[in-house]
Amino acid sequence: MTNPSPEIAPAPSVRLPTREGVLRAAAKMNALLPHTPLLPLELPDGNIAWCKAECLQPMGAFKIRGAWHRLTELTEEERARGVVAVSSGNHAQGVAWAARRLGISATIVMPSDAPQIKLSETRRMGAEVMLYGRLTESRDAIAAEICAERNCVLVHAYGDPWVIEGQGSTGIEIASQMECFAGGAPTRIITPAGGGGLASGLALACPDAEIVPVEPDGWDDISRSLAGGSIVDVGANPPPTSCDALQAIATFPINFAVMASHGMKGVAVTDAEVRAAQAYAFSKLHLVVEPGGAAALAAVLAGKVSVDGRTAVVLSGGNVDPAAFASVIADI
Amino acid sequence: MTNPSPEIAPAPSVRLPTREGVLRAAAKMNALLPHTPLLPLELPDGNIAWCKAECLQPMGAFKIRGAWHRLTELTEEERARGVVAVSSGNHAQGVAWAARRLGISATIVMPSDAPQIKLSETRRMGAEVMLYGRLTESRDAIAAEICAERNCVLVHAYGDPWVIEGQGSTGIEIASQMECFAGGAPTRIITPAGGGGLASGLALACPDAEIVPVEPDGWDDISRSLAGGSIVDVGANPPPTSCDALQAIATFPINFAVMASHGMKGVAVTDAEVRAAQAYAFSKLHLVVEPGGAAALAAVLAGKVSVDGRTAVVLSGGNVDPAAFASVIADI
């Protein structure tokens, strides 16, 4: 496997994400959609994990939050020019969903090996999809070219202050739901992590909670970056992973700054642990969770992160091809 | 196929279910568990159905509501003697869940051909399971014998005022969620129907909404009873159905009285329509819905019942064997 294209920086942004921005995004989400539930899940040891079921968002993942927050704060001129996004699928669908609702044209650069369900849903929602070879082409270079040609805004999947704030609205909901059902603030939030958009948003939303980003084995660049004190990428030959949604090459400074100052430490999970978590969510929660969306639960079930009575586990997405899901539940 | 055992009347009850009882049950559920979400589902024609995801209850079905309401209103003496229930699986798990939480012993009479997942979960929750042959033995006779021997309370799956009120709490939640997200009261609630416990509870909860009970083809005794003005049973040779949760032989007078006075009309769906609805819920909602739980959505997708902007569709349960579910999503 050749080295995937290095990430390039998004358009320079004059601002950093803030907790006020997270609260503003949460207020917008409140008005837009029902809260996804925080479901009590009995673990095999009898403990309860509180699962934030983001796979129940209309397009099947938390990505709708960041996309909505970003697109609703474009200027009229920016709206008219349309937006571009780069995504393996969930961010694509989030941007497509928000763009359709707001009447903005969207172009999404997606890898040709993305799950069929993610490609077809993105197109169904009216976005223009441009495919690229994950191993041979730079998706960011393609996106940058389109943006330059059309003078339009790039909605980065994680390295963007609005996107981070939008994803953080998940944490505001978790906090109010945990207060209501477990009698206090969340002590710990365990979350799947690709580029770190959600993890950094959760840190802004819940500054007093421990945030644990979970990555696939061999794609644990955030864990290693946090441990080493500076950003490293996944390296030359990352192994195959079922977690298509978590295949980010490196986090961005805007994410790293928030995660590092929060004192986060990450963990990594295997594909087998992820499959076990998908099967557990099927049997016990009756939820369809995609591989990347099950990474945080995988870490809990594998005993890599513990839960207390006020630990939240984010199930971040549910867009999985039927055949792949059938193979997972065949193991039960 | 021989005629399944006729239902026998539950222990005589001195009271009828009331809307006040439904509100009391709803208050208890509020304190016990998060509301299941009311999820907007885009239909192929672009209309929105609001899906009440009762498959997300801890034991996977709305049955937890009636069981909790009934068991929490037993006297201390009744609690000490334990309870008996008869169920193909979801009511079994609801009673087992509530009984374990309240420290009450529970005996459940279940058909030997119930889905394995329902049998194993009921046992895991600590209930004693007694199996019977669905076609050769009378489950109600077995239950009546145990009740007489032990002098204990029978928690009937639908012919019980507390159970009806408890199931009705679903409607109270739907009403508040619909108000919040669709700006008004539900105009219509479409619900799977077996014995009619949920349908009659919904009628008490939402007296101004149209309630549409949906049954499997050939098991549409409620539809026929409502059309004819008196209770009829399913008849001598009901066809096979995938909807194990909806195989009630006949509704009870306590349910029929509520449904008939509400002016309900029922519809029936085929197994193929049910499978299509399960697949649609998998793809669009990321929910695992069992066959019986998908009956109301099946009626909508088949064009047998229409939705307006304030129509709720109950997805009543998600307890399905993995192999059966894998076969459904293989069709996608």
Side-chain angles (χ1 to χ4, degrees), chain B residues 110-124:
Chain B
M110 298 179 73
S112 51
D113 64 352
Q116 279 305 314
I117 198 167
K118 293 183 177 179
L119 291 167
S120 62
E121 281 295 301
T122 305
R123 289 194 178 105
R124 195 184 60 77

Side-chain angles (χ1 to χ4, degrees), chain B residues 141-207:
Chain B
I142 297 170
E145 196 178 317
I146 303 168
C147 286
E149 265 172 24
R150 305 184 189 175
N151 190 27
C152 65
V153 170
L154 175 70
V155 183
H156 195 273
Y158 52 90
D160 177 287
W162 285 274
V163 169
I164 293 168
E165 290 169 349
Q167 319 307 32
S169 66
T170 315
I172 303 299
E173 290 181 20
I174 288 172
S176 76
Q177 293 169 316
M178 192 71 84
E179 186 70 44
C180 183
F181 291 107
T187 52
R188 181 178 302 137
I189 303 177
I190 311 169
T191 179
L198 179 54
S200 46
L202 290 170
L204 292 170
C206 303

Side-chain angles (χ1 to χ4, degrees), chain B:
Chain B
M1 188 175 175
T2 61
N3 192 355
S5 60
E7 305 279 333
I8 60 167
S13 173
V14 293
R15 74 178 190 89
L16 292 175
T18 64
R19 189 157 197 282
E20 289 63 39
V22 173
L23 293 170
R24 198 166 70 248
K28 288 194 275 183
M29 292 308 296
N30 267 351
L32 181 68
L33 288 168
H35 288 191
T36 58
L38 188 70
L39 300 166
L41 172 65
E42 190 178 330
L43 300 172
D45 63 7
N47 282 317
I48 298 292
W50 290 91
C51 293
K52 181 66 171 166
E54 287 293 292
C55 50
L56 295 177
Q57 292 288 8
M59 41 58 62
F62 73 97
K63 295 284 191 175
I64 202 169
R65 299 173 179 273
W68 185 253
H69 185 48
R70 181 68 195 95
L71 267 60
T72 50
E73 299 200 359
L74 292 173
T75 65
E76 281 304 315
E77 277 191 345
E78 288 169 333
R79 283 186 184 217
R81 292 197 295 266
V83 295
V84 170
V86 173
S87 165
S88 80
N90 285 334
H91 179 60
Q93 289 181 69
V95 171
W97 189 94
R100 181 177 67 162
R101 192 136 174 157
L102 296 167
I104 297 172
S105 78
T107 304
I108 320 278
V109 182
M110 298 179 73
S112 51
D113 64 352
Q116 279 305 314
I117 198 167
K118 293 183 177 179
L119 291 167
S120 62
E121 281 295 301
T122 305
R123 289 194 178 105
R124 195 184 60 77
M125 288 188 273
E128 179 186 353
V129 171
M130 298 188 64
L131 297 178
Y132 77 99
R134 199 192 284 267
L135 304 181
T136 54
E137 296 175 87
S138 163
R139 63 183 193 173
D140 287 309
I142 297 170
E145 196 178 317
I146 303 168
C147 286
E149 265 172 24
R150 305 184 189 175
N151 190 27
C152 65
V153 170
L154 175 70
V155 183
H156 195 273
Y158 52 90
D160 177 287
W162 285 274
V163 169
I164 293 168
E165 290 169 349
Q167 319 307 32
S169 66
T170 315
I172 303 299
E173 290 181 20
I174 288 172
S176 76
Q177 293 169 316
M178 192 71 84
E179 186 70 44
C180 183
F181 291 107
T187 52
R188 181 178 302 137
I189 303 177
I190 311 169
T191 179
L198 179 54
S200 46
L202 290 170
L204 292 170
C206 303
D208 297 327
E210 181 187 358
I211 312 289
V212 184
V214 182
E215 295 168 289
D217 257 357
W219 292 81
D220 58 340
D221 54 286
I222 289 179
S223 292
R224 291 186 293 107
S225 300
L226 291 167
S230 65
I231 295 175
V232 294
D233 68 19
V234 292
N237 288 298
T241 172
S242 64
C243 301
D244 61 276
L246 305 182
Q247 289 181 290
I249 304 305
T251 190
F252 271 24
I254 193 174
N255 308 96
F256 183 76
V258 175
M259 294 189 287
S261 70
H262 195 83
M264 283 183 208
K265 289 178 187 171
V267 302
V269 289
T270 67
D271 265 7
E273 289 163 348
V274 164
R275 286 173 72 90
Q278 289 181 278
Y280 200 79
F282 166 89
S283 295
K284 303 292 184 189
L285 291 175
H286 310 99
L287 285 176
V288 178
V289 186
E290 66 181 278
L297 180 59
V300 172
L301 291 172
K304 293 178 175 178
V305 190
S306 63
V307 304
D308 58 25
R310 297 210 307 267
T311 297
V313 176
V314 182
L315 304 175
S316 56
N319 293 313
V320 53
D321 279 331
F325 196 73
S327 135
V328 166
I329 61 177
D331 290 352
I332 297 174

